[in-house]
């Protein structure tokens, strides 16, 4: 997790998620379909978001389709 001031406005933020020490997703913020501001705006249409709340999301391509059932 990083704060807004650590991310800045650049697109070169590497995003990696791991499950049981295995890389599940490995990408870059520049690959996101929507800008972070657009994601927050869309989420706020349906739920309340307060300072300190955390929003989690995956990359556009995701990894679910490439996994076998039970993984």
């Amino acid at each position: 997790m990083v704060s807004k001031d650590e991310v800045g406005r650049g697109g070169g933020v590497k995003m990696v998620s791991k499950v049981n020490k295995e890389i599940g997703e490995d990408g870059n913020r520049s690959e996101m379909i929507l800008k972070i501001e657009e994601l927050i705006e869309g989420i706020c249409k349906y739920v309340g978001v307060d300072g300190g709340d955390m929003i989690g999301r995956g990359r556009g391509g995701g990894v679910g389709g490439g996994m076998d059932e039970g993984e």
Side-chain angles (χ1 to χ4, degrees):
M1 293 188 306
V2 295
S3 65
K4 179 181 175 182
D5 59 323
E6 292 174 306
V7 172
R9 296 212 174 264
V13 177
K14 186 170 179 68
M15 299 184 295
V16 178
S17 66
K18 295 181 181 180
V19 177
N20 297 327
K21 298 183 182 181
E22 290 186 36
I23 294 177
E25 296 187 44
D26 186 356
N28 193 292
R29 180 176 140 185
S30 64
E31 299 170 329
M32 293 172 67
I33 296 169
L34 297 174
K35 295 178 182 176
I36 292 174
E37 295 84 2
E38 295 171 327
L39 288 169
I40 295 170
E41 181 180 341
I43 291 168
C44 289
K45 289 180 182 178
Y46 301 100
V47 297
V49 179
D50 296 314
D53 287 351
M54 185 173 81
I55 299 171
R57 61 165 308 277
R59 292 186 310 119
V63 297
M67 298 181 78
D68 293 329
E69 189 173 325
E71 283 190 86

